[in-house]
Coordinates of all heavy atoms in Angstrom, one line a residue:
Chain A
M289 N 22.5 13.8 57.4 CA 23.1 15.1 57.5 C 23.8 15.4 58.8 O 24.2 16.5 59.1 CB 22.1 16.3 57.2 CG 21.3 16.2 55.9 SD 22.5 16.1 54.5 CE 23.2 17.7 54.5
Chain B
N99 N 18.5 13.3 35.6 CA 19.6 13.4 36.6 C 20.6 12.3 36.3 O 20.3 11.2 35.7 CB 19.0 13.3 38.0 CG 18.3 14.5 38.4 OD1 18.9 15.6 38.6 ND2 17.0 14.4 38.5
A178 N 13.3 21.4 36.5 CA 14.7 21.5 36.5 C 15.2 21.8 37.9 O 16.4 21.6 38.2 CB 15.3 22.5 35.6
L179 N 14.3 22.2 38.8 CA 14.8 22.8 40.1 C 15.0 21.8 41.2 O 16.1 21.8 41.9 CB 13.8 23.9 40.5 CG 14.3 24.7 41.7 CD1 14.0 26.2 41.5 CD2 13.5 24.3 42.9
P180 N 14.1 20.9 41.6 CA 14.2 20.2 42.9 C 15.5 19.5 43.1 O 16.2 19.8 44.1 CB 13.0 19.3 42.9 CG 12.0 19.9 42.0 CD 12.8 20.5 40.9
V181 N 15.9 18.5 42.3 CA 17.0 17.7 42.6 C 18.3 18.5 42.6 O 19.1 18.5 43.6 CB 17.2 16.5 41.6 CG1 18.5 15.8 41.8 CG2 16.0 15.5 41.8
N182 N 18.6 19.3 41.6 CA 19.8 20.0 41.5 C 20.0 21.1 42.5 O 21.0 21.2 43.1 CB 20.0 20.7 40.1 CG 20.2 19.6 39.0 OD1 20.0 19.9 37.8 ND2 20.5 18.4 39.4
Y183 N 18.9 21.9 42.8 CA 19.0 23.0 43.7 C 19.0 22.5 45.2 O 19.8 23.0 46.0 CB 18.0 24.0 43.5 CG 18.3 24.9 42.3 CD1 18.1 24.5 41.0 CD2 19.0 26.1 42.5 CE1 18.5 25.3 39.9 CE2 19.4 26.9 41.4 CZ 19.1 26.5 40.1 OH 19.5 27.3 39.1
I184 N 18.2 21.5 45.5 CA 18.3 21.0 46.9 C 19.6 20.4 47.1 O 20.3 20.6 48.2 CB 17.1 20.0 47.1 CG1 15.8 20.7 47.1 CG2 17.3 19.3 48.5 CD1 14.6 19.7 47.2
T185 N 20.1 19.6 46.2 CA 21.5 19.0 46.3 C 22.5 20.1 46.5 O 23.3 20.0 47.5 CB 21.8 18.1 45.1 OG1 20.9 17.1 45.0 CG2 23.2 17.6 45.1
A186 N 22.5 21.1 45.6 CA 23.6 22.1 45.7 C 23.4 22.9 47.0 O 24.4 23.2 47.7 CB 23.5 23.0 44.5
Y187 N 22.1 23.2 47.4 CA 21.9 24.0 48.6 C 22.3 23.3 49.9 O 23.0 23.8 50.7 CB 20.4 24.3 48.7 CG 20.1 25.3 49.8 CD1 20.1 26.7 49.5 CD2 19.8 24.9 51.1 CE1 19.8 27.6 50.5 CE2 19.6 25.8 52.1 CZ 19.6 27.2 51.8 OH 19.3 28.1 52.8
M188 N 22.0 22.0 50.0 CA 22.3 21.3 51.2 C 23.9 21.1 51.3 O 24.5 21.1 52.4 CB 21.5 20.0 51.3 CG 20.1 20.3 51.6 SD 19.0 18.8 51.8 CE 19.3 18.5 53.5
M189 N 24.5 20.8 50.2 CA 25.9 20.6 50.2 C 26.6 21.9 50.6 O 27.5 21.9 51.4 CB 26.4 20.1 48.8 CG 26.0 18.7 48.5 SD 26.9 18.0 47.1 CE 26.5 19.1 45.8
L190 N 26.2 23.0 50.0 CA 26.9 24.3 50.2 C 26.6 24.8 51.6 O 27.5 25.3 52.3 CB 26.5 25.3 49.2 CG 27.0 25.1 47.8 CD1 26.4 26.2 46.9 CD2 28.5 25.1 47.7
F191 N 25.3 24.8 52.0 CA 25.0 25.6 53.2 C 24.8 24.7 54.5 O 24.7 25.2 55.6 CB 23.7 26.4 52.9 CG 24.0 27.4 51.9 CD1 23.3 27.4 50.7 CD2 24.9 28.4 52.0 CE1 23.5 28.3 49.7 CE2 25.2 29.4 51.0 CZ 24.5 29.3 49.8
D192 N 24.7 23.4 54.3 CA 24.6 22.5 55.5 C 26.0 21.9 55.7 O 26.8 22.4 56.6 CB 23.6 21.4 55.3 CG 23.3 20.7 56.6 OD1 24.2 20.6 57.5 OD2 22.1 20.2 56.8
F193 N 26.4 21.0 54.9 CA 27.8 20.4 55.1 C 28.9 21.5 54.8 O 29.9 21.5 55.6 CB 28.0 19.2 54.1 CG 27.4 18.0 54.6 CD1 26.9 17.0 53.6 CD2 27.2 17.6 55.9 CE1 26.3 15.8 54.0 CE2 26.7 16.4 56.3 CZ 26.2 15.5 55.3
G194 N 28.7 22.2 53.8 CA 29.8 23.1 53.4 C 30.0 24.4 54.3 O 31.0 24.9 54.4
N195 N 28.8 24.8 54.8 CA 28.8 26.0 55.7 C 29.5 27.1 55.0 O 30.4 27.8 55.6 CB 29.5 25.6 57.0 CG 29.2 26.7 58.1 OD1 28.4 27.6 57.9 ND2 29.9 26.5 59.2
L196 N 29.2 27.3 53.7 CA 29.8 28.4 52.9 C 29.7 29.8 53.5 O 28.6 30.2 53.8 CB 29.2 28.3 51.5 CG 29.7 29.4 50.5 CD1 31.1 29.1 50.1 CD2 28.8 29.3 49.2
I202 N 35.9 27.7 46.2 CA 35.3 26.4 46.0 C 35.6 25.9 44.6 O 35.8 26.7 43.7 CB 33.7 26.6 46.2 CG1 33.0 25.3 46.0 CG2 33.2 27.7 45.3 CD1 31.5 25.4 46.5
I204 N 34.0 23.5 41.7 CA 32.7 22.9 41.2 C 33.1 22.1 40.0 O 33.4 22.7 38.9 CB 31.6 23.9 41.0 CG1 31.3 24.6 42.3 CG2 30.4 23.2 40.4 CD1 30.3 25.8 42.1
G209 N 26.9 21.5 34.3 CA 25.8 20.5 34.5 C 24.7 21.1 35.4 O 24.8 22.2 35.8
G210 N 23.8 20.2 35.7 CA 22.6 20.7 36.5 C 23.0 21.1 37.9 O 22.8 22.3 38.2
V211 N 23.7 20.2 38.6 CA 24.1 20.6 40.0 C 25.2 21.7 39.9 O 25.1 22.7 40.7 CB 24.7 19.4 40.7 CG1 25.3 19.9 42.1 CG2 23.6 18.4 41.0
G212 N 26.1 21.7 38.9 CA 27.1 22.7 38.8 C 26.5 24.1 38.5 O 27.0 25.0 39.2
T213 N 25.5 24.2 37.7 CA 24.9 25.5 37.4 C 24.2 26.0 38.7 O 24.3 27.1 39.1 CB 23.8 25.3 36.3 OG1 24.5 24.7 35.2 CG2 23.3 26.6 35.9
A214 N 23.5 25.1 39.4 CA 22.8 25.5 40.6 C 23.8 25.9 41.7 O 23.6 27.0 42.3 CB 21.9 24.3 41.1
A215 N 24.8 25.1 41.8 CA 25.8 25.5 42.9 C 26.5 26.8 42.6 O 26.7 27.6 43.5 CB 26.9 24.4 43.0
T216 N 26.8 27.1 41.3 CA 27.4 28.3 40.9 C 26.5 29.5 41.3 O 26.9 30.5 41.9 CB 27.7 28.4 39.4 OG1 28.6 27.2 39.1 CG2 28.5 29.6 39.1
Q217 N 25.2 29.4 40.9 CA 24.3 30.4 41.3 C 24.2 30.6 42.8 O 24.1 31.8 43.2 CB 22.9 30.1 40.7 CG 22.9 30.2 39.1 CD 21.5 29.8 38.6 OE1 20.5 29.7 39.4 NE2 21.4 29.8 37.3
L218 N 24.1 29.5 43.5 CA 24.0 29.7 45.0 C 25.2 30.3 45.6 O 25.2 31.0 46.6 CB 23.7 28.3 45.6 CG 22.3 27.8 45.3 CD1 22.1 26.3 45.7 CD2 21.2 28.6 46.0
C219 N 26.4 30.0 45.0 CA 27.6 30.6 45.5 C 27.6 32.1 45.4 O 28.1 32.9 46.2 CB 28.9 30.1 44.8 SG 29.4 28.4 45.3
T221 N 25.2 34.0 45.8 CA 24.4 34.6 46.8 C 25.2 34.9 48.1 O 24.7 35.6 49.0 CB 23.1 33.7 47.2 OG1 23.6 32.6 47.9 CG2 22.3 33.3 46.0
I269 N 36.1 24.6 50.0 CA 35.1 23.6 49.7 C 35.3 22.9 48.3 O 35.7 23.7 47.4 CB 33.7 24.2 49.7 CG1 33.4 24.8 51.1 CG2 32.6 23.1 49.4 CD1 32.0 25.5 51.2
L271 N 33.2 20.3 45.7 CA 32.1 19.4 45.4 C 32.6 18.4 44.4 O 33.1 18.7 43.4 CB 30.9 20.2 44.8 CG 30.4 21.4 45.6 CD1 29.2 22.0 44.9 CD2 30.1 21.0 47.0
I293 N 33.0 17.5 49.7 CA 31.7 16.9 49.7 C 31.5 16.1 48.4 O 31.5 16.6 47.3 CB 30.6 18.0 49.8 CG1 30.9 18.9 51.0 CG2 29.2 17.4 49.9 CD1 30.2 20.3 50.9
Y295 N 29.4 13.5 46.1 CA 28.0 13.2 45.9 C 27.7 12.4 44.7 O 26.6 12.4 44.1 CB 27.2 14.6 45.8 CG 27.5 15.5 44.7 CD1 26.6 15.6 43.6 CD2 28.7 16.2 44.6 CE1 26.9 16.4 42.5 CE2 28.9 17.1 43.6 CZ 28.0 17.2 42.5 OH 28.3 18.0 41.5
F336 N 27.0 13.1 50.1 CA 25.6 13.5 50.0 C 24.9 12.8 48.8 O 25.5 12.7 47.7 CB 25.5 15.1 49.8 CG 24.1 15.6 49.7 CD1 23.4 15.9 50.9 CD2 23.4 15.7 48.5 CE1 22.1 16.3 50.8 CE2 22.1 16.1 48.4 CZ 21.5 16.4 49.6
H337 N 23.7 12.4 49.0 CA 22.8 12.0 47.9 C 21.4 12.1 48.3 O 20.9 11.5 49.2 CB 23.2 10.5 47.5 CG 22.7 10.3 46.1 ND1 21.4 10.3 45.7 CD2 23.5 10.0 44.9 CE1 21.4 10.0 44.4 NE2 22.6 9.9 43.9
L338 N 20.7 13.0 47.5 CA 19.3 13.2 47.8 C 18.5 11.9 47.8 O 17.5 11.8 48.6 CB 18.8 14.2 46.8 CG 17.4 14.9 47.1 CD1 17.4 15.6 48.4 CD2 17.1 15.9 46.0
A351 N 15.0 23.3 53.0 CA 15.9 23.7 51.9 C 15.1 24.3 50.8 O 15.5 25.4 50.2 CB 16.8 22.5 51.5
I355 N 15.3 27.9 48.8 CA 15.6 28.0 47.4 C 14.5 28.9 46.7 O 14.8 29.7 45.9 CB 15.7 26.6 46.8 CG1 16.9 25.9 47.4 CG2 15.7 26.6 45.3 CD1 16.9 24.4 47.2
L358 N 15.0 32.5 47.2 CA 16.0 33.0 46.4 C 15.5 33.2 44.9 O 15.9 34.2 44.3 CB 17.3 32.1 46.4 CG 18.0 32.0 47.7 CD1 19.1 30.9 47.7 CD2 18.7 33.4 48.0
I364 N 18.4 33.2 41.8 CA 18.7 32.0 41.1 C 17.7 31.8 40.0 O 16.6 32.3 40.0 CB 18.7 30.8 42.0 CG1 17.3 30.6 42.7 CG2 19.8 30.9 43.1 CD1 17.1 29.3 43.4

Side-chain angles (χ1 to χ4, degrees):
Chain A
M289 300 308 290
Chain B
N99 287 291
L179 189 136
V181 170
N182 291 164
Y183 281 82
I184 293 175
T185 296
Y187 189 90
M188 293 184 82
M189 291 197 297
L190 292 176
F191 298 116
D192 192 331
F193 281 149
N195 196 6
L196 177 66
I202 182 168
I204 300 175
V211 174
T213 307
T216 305
Q217 290 180 7
L218 289 170
C219 283
T221 67
I269 301 177
L271 306 185
I293 306 163
Y295 66 104
F336 184 86
H337 203 294
L338 194 53
I355 291 162
L358 290 171
I364 59 167

